[in-house]
Amino acid sequence: MIQEIQIYNTLTRKKEVFEPLVPGKAGLYVCGPTVYGPPHLGHARSAISFDLLFRFLKQIGYKVRYVRNITDVGHLVADADEGEDKIAQQAKLDELEPMEVVQKYTNMYHEAMALLNLESPSIEPRASGHIIEQIEEVKKILNSGYAYESNGSVYFDVEKFAAENEYGKLSGRKIEDLISNTRSLDGQDEKLSGLDFAIWKKASPEHIMRWPSPWSDGFPGWHMECTAMSCKYLGETFDIHGGGMDLTFPHHEAEMAQSQAAHGKPAVRYWMHNNMITLNGQKMGKSLGNAISLDEFFSGNHPLLEKAYSPMTIRFFMLQAHYRSTLDFSNEALQASEKGLERLMKAVAKIDSLPVSESSSVNISELSANCYAAMADDMNSPIAIAYLFDGVKMINSIADGKSTIAAADKDSLKSLFNTFVFDIFGLKGEDQAGSGNSEVLNEVVDLLMKLRADAKANKDWATSDKIRNELAAIGFDIKDGKDGVSWELKK
């Protein structure tokens, strides 16, 4: 079933046909969270964007190895080479060991991702579990001549690398501008240039998280972990590297340079970045005081929220925007998504009870082709969703007796909606989130509908009306049409 798909490559600034290194297989690495606080909407945007890619690649026949890391060491405050480790800083505030902080917030991240119905990655490595691999990468870069040791730390020599390779091409930065903006820093610390970044950092006496190395007791630089772990699990060159747009510089730019220096060739063939989430046009962030955790969304416990929003509402809200577009949060937008999701799920529930005819007046093949074409065009989920809502109109038209559908087309329609709504978009009805008994519920109600039909056939109007009235009392809407009976569960 594998078809040609196009993805936007940040490196080349254009859509390209995806041609994996190994036909039928895809290697995907995505930067996961730094686990020093509760998961928030930004974490969800990146995770859902690449969960969508993971699901779609598998659906069209690829065997995918999806690696998403956990950063539990080396990410310093202000994303810099100086200062305290973000996790160690939180450990002091919480009066916990750093790895207690890591475990606490990793658990919270996993719980939130499960509620959002994310599939688990194939491998989820932790930076602290790959110190040996990171030390080996540092050695390779030193041997290549693109790094130097200074007072027990090892720094990547950006200007030397840039003299022989392109630096800044991923983020669109010019090395000349970067150099001019950092000249004032030269000579003020142990770096040759303010542009240089740590690939191994000597630990200060008060630094809690440290490991022995040939250069000092210290810890790896933030950028080094992804280079080492992607290489270990996907090879020196692999297909796709993903992450948030805010990681393009310096993190991914540094990764790209490190890998080239260590292995003498580019590591990544396609760079994919999801865009940011804003709040009424302003970037969401802790420092701005407008960050909202996922738990606060699910509970409604935040002054900016008018109500609680379910995990599936959050997921559908994000899928309604293209992963490369800015997504502006508002209560109005989430409530519109909530209504749209409810309409979609009601239509899915109606398919089984649609009356069949000898011929169809609807074109399911065209609908299916449009949905797949939208997704093959750089994961264009909002266009695919728009086509699904064309399908919703079809379903309602058939249910109302205004259109007809043959049995084979009805099966195709059900398969299409199940594939896109559940398998690719990863949505599920809210009743499925807890009990998983929606299929049993459908069977029970269908059985009651059959008993009611039998009662009507026997002119047992009292039993027929009792079944209808009792179901209506607990929230079911029963409709008798010329082509049969249909039902749905009202909210």
Side-chain angles (χ1 to χ4, degrees):
M1 186 186 174
I2 291 177
Q3 63 187 97
E4 181 177 287
I5 67 170
Q6 290 196 328
I7 58 178
Y8 184 87
N9 190 347
T10 306
L11 187 61
T12 59
R13 310 288 192 276
K14 64 182 181 182
K15 292 180 190 176
E16 298 178 352
V17 174
F18 176 58
E19 297 177 344
L21 282 166
V22 179
K25 295 184 178 180
L28 169 64
Y29 185 93
V30 176
C31 288
T34 300
V35 282
Y36 69 103
H40 51 70
L41 213 56
H43 290 132
R45 178 101 204 255
S46 182
I48 289 171
S49 296
F50 292 102
D51 184 62
L52 178 67
L53 175 63
F54 183 36
R55 286 170 175 269
F56 184 64
L57 288 174
K58 289 194 300 178
Q59 180 61 40
I60 61 174
Y62 282 96
K63 183 177 181 180
V64 186
R65 177 174 289 176
Y66 175 19
V67 183
R68 186 186 68 210
N69 74 298
I70 295 288
T71 296
D72 60 355
V73 66
H75 193 171
L76 306 187
V77 293
D79 300 344
D81 284 338
E82 303 299 328
E84 198 167 16
D85 188 295
K86 290 185 176 185
I87 290 164
Q89 183 183 60
Q90 191 64 42
K92 289 180 181 178
L93 293 173
D94 291 350
E95 297 183 345
L96 298 170
E97 285 289 327
M99 286 303 155
E100 283 185 281
V101 170
V102 166
Q103 195 62 52
K104 173 183 176 181
Y105 292 115
T106 299
N107 289 346
M108 288 179 67
Y109 177 78
H110 285 155
E111 288 164 6
M113 296 306 107
L115 288 171
L116 290 166
N117 201 29
L118 265 79
E119 292 198 343
S120 297
S122 314
I123 304 171
E124 191 176 53
R126 295 189 182 195
S128 62
H130 295 77
I131 300 297
I132 293 171
E133 289 86 351
Q134 293 178 78
I135 289 173
E136 290 303 309
E137 290 295 312
V138 173
K139 289 178 182 177
K140 290 174 186 175
I141 298 171
L142 279 168
N143 291 338
S144 73
Y146 291 122
Y148 57 91
E149 182 184 352
S150 178
N151 192 32
S153 293
V154 182
Y155 294 97
F156 191 88
D157 192 332
V158 172
E159 291 188 44
K160 183 174 181 180
F161 178 83
E164 302 169 19
N165 305 271
E166 279 191 82
Y167 184 84
K169 61 182 177 179
L170 182 65
S171 58
R173 316 242 175 157
K174 295 185 180 297
I175 187 67
E176 297 81 10
D177 295 338
L178 293 170
I179 291 171
S180 64
N181 289 335
T182 58
R183 281 300 184 197
S184 61
L185 298 175
D186 290 359
Q188 293 184 10
D189 59 19
E190 57 196 23
K191 301 180 184 181
L192 296 178
S193 165
L195 271 184
D196 299 345
F197 55 86
I199 54 180
W200 183 266
K201 189 72 178 166
K202 180 181 179 180
S204 58
E206 67 275 10
H207 198 96
I208 305 171
M209 304 168 79
R210 59 175 69 216
W211 291 265
S213 80
W215 314 286
S216 64
D217 278 3
F219 53 92
W222 172 37
H223 314 308
M224 180 52 63
E225 62 178 275
C226 291
T227 293
M229 291 190 289
S230 62
C231 178
K232 179 178 177 67
Y233 296 112
L234 296 174
E236 292 182 0
T237 302
F238 60 95
D239 295 310
I240 303 171
H241 193 316
M245 194 173 285
D246 56 332
L247 297 176
T248 309
F249 188 90
H251 186 51
H252 290 163
E253 196 76 67
E255 267 192 73
M256 195 163 72
Q258 287 172 166
S259 298
Q260 178 79 33
H263 307 127
K265 56 187 175 183
V268 180
R269 303 179 71 237
Y270 303 87
W271 287 89
M272 296 180 71
H273 292 92
N274 64 277
N275 213 322
M276 299 295 99
I277 293 181
T278 57
L279 172 61
N280 299 323
Q282 184 183 36
K283 182 180 177 181
M284 294 184 80
K286 288 183 180 179
S287 60
L288 298 173
N290 63 0
I292 307 174
S293 73
L294 289 173
D295 185 60
E296 288 169 331
F297 272 102
F298 302 156
S299 67
N301 186 25
H302 191 282
L304 292 173
L305 298 174
E306 292 179 3
K307 53 176 284 189
Y309 297 100
S310 73
M312 288 302 100
T313 297
I314 299 293
R315 185 174 181 112
F316 190 60
F317 167 65
M318 293 190 178
L319 291 172
Q320 285 182 292
H322 191 270
Y323 76 91
R324 285 194 290 113
S325 66
T326 303
L327 181 57
D328 193 52
F329 157 79
S330 68
N331 282 283
E332 293 76 16
L334 275 174
Q335 287 164 25
S337 292
E338 189 174 53
K339 290 178 181 176
L341 177 61
E342 181 181 0
R343 184 171 167 235
L344 179 63
M345 290 303 185
K346 282 184 175 181
V348 173
K350 280 184 183 178
I351 296 175
D352 279 336
S353 59
L354 291 178
V356 295
S357 303
E358 290 185 2
S359 62
S360 297
S361 63
V362 292
N363 191 334
I364 308 305
S365 296
E366 182 182 15
L367 177 63
S368 177
N370 287 338
C371 289
Y372 277 102
M375 288 300 296
D377 182 16
D378 194 32
M379 306 294 117
N380 203 326
S381 58
I383 298 298
I385 288 171
Y387 283 123
L388 282 183
F389 275 102
D390 287 342
V392 169
K393 292 176 185 176
M394 282 184 191
I395 292 166
N396 291 332
S397 179
I398 296 165
D400 292 340
K402 297 175 182 177
S403 301
T404 60
I405 190 166
D409 282 340
K410 178 178 171 179
D411 290 342
S412 297
L413 182 65
K414 181 177 180 179
S415 176
L416 176 66
F417 269 78
N418 284 346
T419 295
F420 271 85
V421 174
F422 304 127
D423 298 340
I424 295 176
F425 292 148
L427 298 167
K428 56 185 179 183
E430 300 303 337
D431 59 328
Q432 291 176 291
S435 66
N437 288 331
S438 60
E439 290 186 12
V440 175
L441 175 65
N442 289 342
E443 291 176 5
V444 169
V445 179
D446 286 342
L447 174 61
L448 287 170
M449 291 298 98
K450 185 177 184 305
L451 292 173
R452 180 170 175 263
D454 290 344
K456 288 176 71 176
N458 294 327
K459 298 184 180 181
D460 183 358
W461 311 119
T463 300
S464 170
D465 290 345
K466 181 175 177 60
I467 292 173
R468 179 191 181 109
N469 294 340
E470 291 291 341
L471 285 171
I474 58 174
F476 286 88
D477 184 18
I478 311 299
K479 292 182 180 179
D480 290 305
K482 64 178 183 178
D483 294 316
V485 64
S486 63
W487 64 269
E488 65 182 16
L489 180 60
K490 297 181 291 185
K491 278 201 170 184

